[in-house]
């Protein structure tokens, strides 16, 4: 398989797009999105580093790695200055590397409690290897402790996975405000890239109402300079699909397990648009008629109300220098 040192990155000038999947709530789709977004970007021939920052190590298991048996994990990188990041990167697919977690990561917080630079450890650890990757995806634990602070210090942007429920809607404003406060401490340049809707019920009226509320909430921030100024509800929403829940138990991404199920189709499109919004500039990914797809640039969350199209969703494609 390819060695990440053997290719020029797509975005060498500005480094990779570094994204943390964050929501203090558990069970909202952080890990499923981290795994399948990372895998989908890899399938689009970009080099991806996925980092598991949750002591539950679900991202590692989802990608088929048992953090308890590999040599070096993210815990070692945080607590042991002698640990080598080269040993921590496991190649799990073509174009996809993982820094796994293990259960001892839960102890990192107390072990590092007295250390002045404890929120910035991961960022500094990653510096030496960033230029080998096009995208870095971090899966956060469902809390705002030291591990999440390290994630937020190490990325450019946060994506918030959530379900389109009224109660989740209530929480999102608070979560974004927390991101703002945390960003002020550890990473003033941190942005909220968007909200990823997971386990979406495309036919539910309630879901549609919540999405409309989210769209208007985010658009109100336009021009505000807040970290979520410019954030959008990412398209397409990821439909509820049992295959997405089954794949982790086989240590497989959705593209290994069921590459043409609705969940795979949704994550593939999400990744294409995620790539396009970063690598601005050439052509548009092909349009299609599926319920969650629609025409890029005019897509709706579930394809049936073009009037709610996000105007700020950039449409672009592969850089011309892509090998
Ligand atoms: P988090 O990391 O936020 O705790 P997960 O990604 O682990 O959330 O998702 C919680 C549960 O929901 C998991 O069992 C996962 O397999 C399942 N799940 C996530 N997304 C979907 C989806 N679109 N359709 C069906 N099940 C899903
Ligand atoms: Mg998780």
């Amino acid at each position: 398989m390819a060695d990440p040192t053997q290719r020029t990155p797509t975005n060498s000038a500005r480094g990779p797009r570094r994204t943390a999947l964050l929501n203090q709530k558990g069970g909202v789709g952080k890990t499923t999105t981290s795994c399948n977004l990372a895998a989908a970007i890899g399938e689009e021939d970009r080099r991806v580093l996925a980092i598991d920052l949750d002591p539950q190590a679900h991202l590692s298991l989802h990608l088929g790695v048992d953090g308890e048996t590999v040599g070096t994990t993210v815990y070692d990188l945080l607590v042991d200055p002698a640990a080598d990041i080269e040993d921590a990167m496991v190649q799990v697919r073509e174009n996809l590397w993982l820094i796994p977690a293990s259960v001892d990561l839960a102890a990192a917080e107390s072990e590092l409690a007295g250390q002045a630079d404890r929120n910035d450890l991961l960022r500094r650890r990653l510096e030496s290897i960033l230029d080998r990757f096009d995208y870095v995806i971090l899966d956060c634990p469902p809390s705002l402790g030291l591990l999440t602070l390290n994630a937020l210090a190490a990325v450019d942007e946060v994506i918030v996975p959530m379900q389109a429920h009224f109660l989740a809607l209530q929480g999102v404003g608070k979560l974004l405000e927390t991101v703002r406060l945390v960003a002020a401490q550890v990473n003033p340049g941190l942005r909220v890239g968007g909200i990823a809707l997971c386990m979406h019920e495309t036919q539910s009226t309630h879901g549609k109402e919540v999405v409309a509320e989210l769209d208007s909430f985010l658009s109100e921030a336009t021009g505000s300079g807040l970290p979520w100024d410019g954030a959008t509800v990412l398209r397409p929403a990821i439909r509820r699909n049992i295959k997405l829940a089954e794949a982790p138990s086989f240590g497989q991404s959705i593209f290994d397990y069921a590459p043409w199920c609705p969940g795979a189709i949704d994550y593939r499109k999400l990744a294409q648009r995620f790539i396009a919004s970063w690598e601005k500039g050439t052509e548009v990914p092909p349009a299609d008629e599926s319920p969650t797809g629609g025409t890029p640039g005019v897509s709706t969350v579930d394809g049936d109300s073009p009037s709610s199209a996000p105007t700020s969703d950039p449409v672009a494609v592969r850089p011309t220098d892509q090998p």
Side-chain angles (χ1 to χ4, degrees):
M1 282 200 220
D3 177 330
T5 59
Q6 299 302 306
R7 216 178 117 218
T8 307
T10 310
N11 294 294
S12 51
R14 57 182 167 169
R17 181 175 187 171
R18 295 165 297 154
T19 307
L21 282 291
L22 175 76
N23 191 326
Q24 290 151 277
K25 222 163 127 33
V28 294
K30 291 183 292 296
T31 301
T32 307
T33 302
S34 299
C35 174
N36 294 309
L37 179 61
I41 297 170
E43 299 246 324
E44 298 290 320
D45 202 27
R46 303 324 195 259
R47 287 170 310 155
V48 188
L49 175 64
I51 304 175
D52 190 350
L53 270 171
D54 187 345
Q56 295 177 94
H58 287 167
L59 176 63
S60 308
L61 295 170
H62 204 329
L63 287 166
V65 174
D66 180 356
E68 309 308 322
T69 59
V70 295
T72 304
T73 66
V74 73
Y75 167 79
D76 300 301
L77 296 183
L78 292 176
V79 303
D80 179 5
D84 188 346
I85 193 163
E86 303 292 340
D87 300 333
M89 290 184 290
V90 185
Q91 185 168 13
V92 288
R93 304 288 184 282
E94 192 178 4
N95 295 326
L96 178 57
W97 284 259
L98 169 73
I99 298 183
S102 52
V103 69
D104 51 10
L105 186 57
E109 180 130 21
S110 56
E111 288 179 37
L112 292 165
Q115 204 165 308
D117 63 351
R118 62 187 177 280
N119 294 332
D120 203 36
L121 294 166
L122 182 67
R123 186 189 66 77
R124 282 189 281 119
R125 281 305 214 150
L126 294 175
E127 267 173 357
S128 65
I129 50 119
L130 284 181
D131 63 356
R132 301 181 200 174
F133 297 99
D134 303 309
Y135 293 85
V136 180
I137 303 282
L138 286 86
D139 185 25
C140 293
S143 63
L144 276 173
L146 170 115
L147 297 169
T148 296
L149 290 177
N150 266 274
L152 297 183
V155 298
D156 314 299
E157 66 168 353
V158 162
I159 285 180
V160 179
M162 62 174 275
Q163 288 170 59
H165 289 161
F166 177 70
L167 290 176
L169 182 62
Q170 294 299 297
V172 77
K174 282 188 193 136
L175 177 63
L176 295 182
E177 182 57 19
T178 307
V179 170
R180 187 182 70 77
L181 293 170
V182 170
Q185 279 179 46
V186 300
N187 184 354
L190 186 69
R191 315 290 312 157
V192 177
I195 292 174
L197 293 172
C198 299
M199 295 170 251
H200 196 60
E201 309 282 0
T202 47
Q203 300 310 317
S204 134
T205 307
H206 176 64
K208 286 177 188 165
E209 285 168 2
V210 172
V211 172
E213 293 265 347
L214 282 170
D215 278 332
S216 87
F217 173 80
L218 292 177
S219 63
E220 276 167 25
T222 306
S224 66
L226 289 162
W228 55 96
D229 180 354
T232 55
V233 178
L234 303 179
R235 267 69 175 178
I238 308 300
R239 287 168 283 181
R240 184 178 289 282
N241 178 213
I242 190 65
K243 300 277 184 210
L244 287 166
E246 292 167 0
S249 58
F250 298 94
Q252 294 182 344
S253 79
I254 199 63
F255 306 102
D256 307 321
Y257 182 66
W260 297 106
C261 72
I265 290 168
D266 292 346
Y267 274 113
R268 191 177 290 116
K269 286 184 190 153
L270 187 74
Q272 286 169 347
R273 295 175 70 88
F274 185 78
I275 291 169
S277 68
W278 179 248
E279 300 171 14
K280 291 189 170 54
T282 38
E283 64 191 78
V284 176
D288 72 52
E289 303 304 320
S290 90
T292 55
T295 305
V298 294
S299 82
T300 63
V301 71
D302 48 23
D304 61 356
S305 61
S307 60
S308 66
T311 50
S312 61
D313 193 7
V315 177
V317 173
R318 315 279 295 246
T320 45
D321 62 348
Q322 184 68 21

